[in-house]
Amino acid sequence: MACLIYFNRVNRIYTITHYPLEDIALHEALWGELYKQSDASVFLNWSWIKAWLTSIDSVPVVLAAYENTRCVGLAFLTQRNARSSSRINIKQLWLHRKGEQASDQMWIEHNDFLVHQNNKEQIRLAMLEYLFAQKKLWHELYFGLTNSKVIDSLKLNWPSCREVISSPDFEVDLRHKANLNDYLADLSKNTRSQIRRTKKLLTQSGELELTLAQTAAQKETFLEDISRLHKDKWRDTEFGSGFDNPIFEQFHRHLIFEDDVTNKTRLYCLTLDKKPIAYIYLLIDDDTWYFYLSAINGHDDNRVKVGLIAHAYIIEQAIAEKVGKYSFLAGEARYKRSLSNLPETSQTLVCFYQPTVFMRLRECARRYKNALPNILRH
C-alpha cells in the first residue's frame, strides 16, 4: 500500500510515494517521458533499466515523486537482508542494483534518482528525505556510483553515511573539434607520440580500418570475439569476466540486440589488414558516447599501443558525427588519464544508514576495525 508524505521546498509541494513494482510495462511510458525531461545519463535510459529489471528475480520498490499530478522523480530500489556480525538482520535498499556481485556485474554508473531537470536538487532531496522517514523499510541505503558532487550535496543534509567506493572519472570534450588533430593537440606530447608511432608501425603491415556492426549477424560475430578475448584477460581475476556470468551476458544481449529505434549500443572493430585487433563496446545517448568495455588482441611489439589507437579511431568517428563528449567512465587507468582533456572528476558509491543507536554503534565499530591495522602499526 502506498505511503504519502508532502514536502514544501522553495515554495513547491512534492508528493512522494512508494509501492512494489507489479507491472514493468506500465512504468515504461512514465519513465520514458520523465527521462526526456531530465539530464540523466544513458545508464538511466529505459533500455538499461528495463534490461536490469528483467535480469533480477525480486520485486523492486518504486519510489515516485509528484508535483501536483506531474511525475518529477522516479527510482527502483531492491530490498536485501544482510546479517551483522552480532546476528542482527540488516535491511538494505539498493538503488538500481541488487546488492549481489553476480547481479551487479553490469556495473551501473552515474546512478541517481531519475528527476526532472528543473529543481532536480530539491526533488532529489525530497525523495531522500521521504526514504529516511520510512524507518521500518530499511537500515542501509546504497546510493551510486554517481557524481561525487551529487553525493556531497546529499551528505550536507544526511551525514549518516559512509563511503563504499570512490573512483576517478575521465572525459573528453569534443566540442569545437573539427578533426582528430584538433583533439590530439589537447594531449601531452608523449601521448601524441605513442598514438602516431603505433599507427606508423601497424600500417606497415596493412590498412587500419574501423567497422561498425550494423546487422544482427555482425553483432553476433563481434560479440563472440569480445567474449572470448574478455574471458582470456579477466577470467582469473578477483571478479572474473562478466561473459562467464549468464546474468551479465543476457543483460548485454538484451541491450545490443534491441530494436534500432531504441538501441543505445554500438560495437566497433578495428582491423589491421582485415584482421581484428581491437573491439570497443559503446553506450550512446544524445551527444555523448560512453566507453563501456574493450577486447584487444595483444601485440608482440611493446611500442604498439593498440588500445590508444583504437580509442583515437573511435574519437575521430565521434568528431565526424558531431558528438560533444566521449566518456571513459569510472576507473583508474593510465590510458584514460592520458586520453582525457577535461579535469578529472570522480564517482562515489555511499551507504546511508538510519541514525539509530544500533546503526551508529555499528558504524563506530566498522571505523575502529578499519583503523586498527594503522593503530597496531604505530
Side-chain angles (χ1 to χ4, degrees), residues 88-91 131-140 158-161 352-365 367:
I88 294 178
N89 197 41
I90 304 296
K91 292 185 286 187
L131 282 178
F132 263 92
Q134 309 307 307
K135 300 183 186 301
K136 294 182 179 180
L137 187 64
W138 61 280
H139 300 109
E140 294 181 333
W158 291 279
S160 302
C161 69
F352 291 101
Y353 56 88
Q354 292 284 3
T356 62
V357 173
F358 171 74
M359 292 304 294
R360 288 177 185 273
L361 289 173
R362 187 167 183 262
E363 290 305 313
C364 286
R367 286 193 292 270

Side-chain angles (χ1 to χ4, degrees), residues 306-373:
V306 178
L308 290 186
I309 196 67
H311 282 293
Y313 269 71
I314 294 288
I315 288 170
E316 183 176 37
Q317 181 65 32
I319 292 171
E321 295 190 34
K322 309 298 183 185
V323 174
K325 185 168 66 177
Y326 185 71
S327 172
F328 286 105
L329 297 175
E332 179 61 72
R334 182 184 298 177
Y335 74 90
K336 293 183 179 184
R337 193 178 298 276
S338 298
L339 292 172
S340 66
N341 65 359
L342 287 171
E344 175 187 328
T345 58
S346 62
Q347 291 192 62
T348 304
L349 170 66
V350 294
C351 173
F352 291 101
Y353 56 88
Q354 292 284 3
T356 62
V357 173
F358 171 74
M359 292 304 294
R360 288 177 185 273
L361 289 173
R362 187 167 183 262
E363 290 305 313
C364 286
R366 185 192 301 275
R367 286 193 292 270
Y368 176 76
K369 181 180 179 181
N370 291 338
L372 188 58

Side-chain angles (χ1 to χ4, degrees), residues 123-318:
I123 299 168
R124 186 188 293 118
L125 288 172
M127 292 171 74
L128 193 57
E129 184 174 339
Y130 171 82
L131 282 178
F132 263 92
Q134 309 307 307
K135 300 183 186 301
K136 294 182 179 180
L137 187 64
W138 61 280
H139 300 109
E140 294 181 333
L141 166 64
Y142 287 82
F143 192 107
L145 277 165
T146 196
N147 189 285
S148 296
K149 290 183 178 180
V150 171
I151 298 297
D152 290 343
S153 68
L154 295 177
K155 287 163 68 175
L156 289 174
N157 291 271
W158 291 279
S160 302
C161 69
R162 71 174 183 275
E163 184 180 291
V164 180
I165 299 170
S166 185
S167 176
D169 194 5
F170 300 98
E171 296 179 333
V172 180
D173 183 1
L174 297 179
R175 294 170 297 175
H176 315 301
K177 306 298 182 190
N179 52 53
L180 183 63
N181 286 331
D182 283 353
Y183 158 67
L184 293 178
D186 292 342
L187 309 183
S188 70
K189 182 179 178 181
N190 182 52
T191 302
R192 292 197 302 270
S193 175
Q194 289 185 65
I195 292 171
R196 287 167 178 159
R197 182 174 62 230
T198 295
K199 183 174 182 179
K200 180 179 179 181
L201 291 171
L202 288 176
T203 51
Q204 291 172 0
S205 302
E207 181 184 2
L208 282 169
E209 186 177 5
L210 186 67
T211 302
L212 171 65
Q214 294 180 308
T215 66
Q218 282 180 307
K219 291 178 181 180
E220 194 69 62
T221 299
F222 282 19
L223 197 54
E224 286 178 7
D225 274 0
I226 290 171
S227 175
R228 174 180 54 80
L229 291 168
H230 201 271
K231 289 175 182 178
D232 288 345
K233 181 173 182 179
W234 299 105
R235 175 172 280 169
D236 295 329
T237 60
E238 181 182 1
F239 298 114
S241 167
F243 291 98
D244 281 320
N245 176 358
I247 298 174
F248 177 97
E249 185 174 24
Q250 287 303 311
F251 173 89
H252 285 291
R253 292 187 72 86
H254 186 106
L255 289 184
I256 291 167
F257 293 98
E258 191 173 30
D259 292 341
D260 290 342
V261 176
T262 54
N263 199 303
K264 297 295 180 181
T265 67
R266 287 195 185 188
L267 296 180
Y268 279 102
C269 178
L270 182 65
T271 60
L272 175 62
D273 195 26
K274 305 298 183 182
K275 298 176 182 176
I277 61 171
Y279 293 92
I280 300 287
Y281 175 14
L282 301 177
L283 303 173
I284 61 169
D285 197 23
D286 295 330
D287 72 335
T288 303
W289 287 8
Y290 300 83
F291 163 58
Y292 186 77
L293 62 78
S294 63
I296 296 173
N297 275 310
H299 199 280
D300 295 334
D301 189 340
N302 60 15
R303 296 175 299 170
V304 173
K305 310 298 181 183
V306 178
L308 290 186
I309 196 67
H311 282 293
Y313 269 71
I314 294 288
I315 288 170
E316 183 176 37
Q317 181 65 32

Side-chain angles (χ1 to χ4, degrees), residues 3-18 34 63-74 114-131 134 158:
C3 298
L4 299 174
I5 292 187
Y6 294 83
F7 297 88
N8 191 327
R9 292 184 175 275
V10 196
N11 298 319
R12 291 176 179 271
I13 297 177
Y14 299 114
T15 306
I16 320 293
T17 180
H18 79 274
L34 180 55
L63 179 66
Y66 289 86
E67 185 176 18
N68 297 320
T69 59
R70 182 180 62 157
C71 183
V72 294
L74 280 171
L114 180 64
V115 291
H116 197 286
Q117 60 188 344
N118 296 334
N119 303 300
K120 59 184 178 182
E121 291 85 3
Q122 297 303 325
I123 299 168
R124 186 188 293 118
L125 288 172
M127 292 171 74
L128 193 57
E129 184 174 339
Y130 171 82
L131 282 178
Q134 309 307 307
W158 291 279

